[in-house]
């Protein structure tokens, strides 16, 4: 089993950050465009424990269909999606949210296993490189989108006299 960990601090309260992730349509916004990631399940989705989501993407140029289930839903602190079918033998992705002095620390913890063992392990360096790229893009996109939202919030005129 392999592990991928990333984190980013976002200058917004935890409820605002979690609500961004509770909207499944935002997945397309934070995924590199070359993956051609599309949600196939009709939107909007009611995110909760047991929600099933179907996706289509291209991984290394190969079309992939991916189905995940939300196995844990604990707003605004955590949710977990698990692959039911797709490119990995195992994919368990924890999304963790922690209040951090008016900001939110968002962490991704992914446990994954490659298919076609033991031969699949030969591809791990390439897969790890691609995952690092995807999650770096994801961090940058999340910061750009949510910092912009935080800026608009700060620019809202006060109605207090």
């Amino acid at each position: 089993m392999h592990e991928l960990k990333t984190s980013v601090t976002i200058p917004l309260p935890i409820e605002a950050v979690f609500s961004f992730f509770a909207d499944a349509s935002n997945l397309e916004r934070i995924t590199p465009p070359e993956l051609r990631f599309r949600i196939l399940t009709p939107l909007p989705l009611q995110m909760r424990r047991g929600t099933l989501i179907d996706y289509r993407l291209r991984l290394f140029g190969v079309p992939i269909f991916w189905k995940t289930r939300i196995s844990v839903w604990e707003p605004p602190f955590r949710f977990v999606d698990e692959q039911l079918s797709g490119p990995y033998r195992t994919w368990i992705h924890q999304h963790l949210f922690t209040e951090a002095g008016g900001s939110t620390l968002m962490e991704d913890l992914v446990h994954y296993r490659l298919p076609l063992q033991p031969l699949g392990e030969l591809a791990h360096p390439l897969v790890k490189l691609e995952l690092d790229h995807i999650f770096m893009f994801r961090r940058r996109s999340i910061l750009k989108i949510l910092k912009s939202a935080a800026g608009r919030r700060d620019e809202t005129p006060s109605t207090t006299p």
Side-chain angles (χ1 to χ4, degrees):
M1 185 79 74
H2 299 282
E3 182 177 272
L4 172 73
K5 292 170 97 172
T6 66
S7 65
V8 62
T9 300
I10 302 162
L12 283 171
I14 192 170
E15 292 81 8
V17 174
F18 193 89
S19 81
F20 176 81
F21 286 90
D23 180 351
S25 67
N26 285 321
L27 281 169
E28 292 181 13
R29 298 173 68 193
I30 62 172
T31 302
E34 67 270 15
L35 293 179
R36 297 187 200 163
F37 181 90
R38 295 292 173 262
I39 296 173
L40 301 176
T41 305
L43 297 173
L45 284 168
Q46 175 64 43
M47 295 290 278
R48 63 179 184 269
R49 186 171 184 248
T51 296
L52 299 174
I53 309 171
D54 291 307
Y55 317 92
R56 183 188 71 229
L57 66 139
R58 293 184 77 79
L59 198 55
F60 303 115
V62 177
I64 303 285
F65 289 92
W66 197 331
K67 179 187 275 298
T68 60
R69 176 185 58 225
I70 303 299
S71 58
V72 175
W73 186 255
E74 299 172 352
F77 304 107
R78 175 171 88 116
F79 72 95
V80 178
D81 62 84
E82 296 185 32
Q83 174 190 284
L84 298 179
S85 62
Y88 295 90
R89 184 170 174 205
T90 303
W91 177 272
I92 302 168
H93 183 180
Q94 274 196 84
H95 309 255
L96 305 165
F97 305 84
T98 308
E99 293 182 86
S103 293
T104 302
L105 173 65
M106 194 213 69
E107 299 172 277
D108 288 296
L109 177 59
V110 180
H111 289 100
Y112 63 98
R113 184 172 291 137
L114 299 175
L116 307 172
Q117 294 302 315
L119 293 176
E121 281 307 305
L122 295 174
H124 185 252
L126 181 60
V127 171
K128 182 175 178 348
L129 192 63
E130 182 67 11
L131 287 174
D132 288 343
H133 164 71
I134 291 167
F135 277 81
M136 176 75 72
F137 181 93
R138 177 183 163 92
R139 278 194 309 273
R140 284 193 310 261
S141 297
I142 290 165
L143 275 175
K144 181 179 178 185
I145 293 165
L146 292 179
K147 277 185 172 182
S148 172
R152 284 193 305 274
R153 190 183 66 165
D154 291 343
E155 293 170 10
T156 303
S158 172
T159 56
T160 310

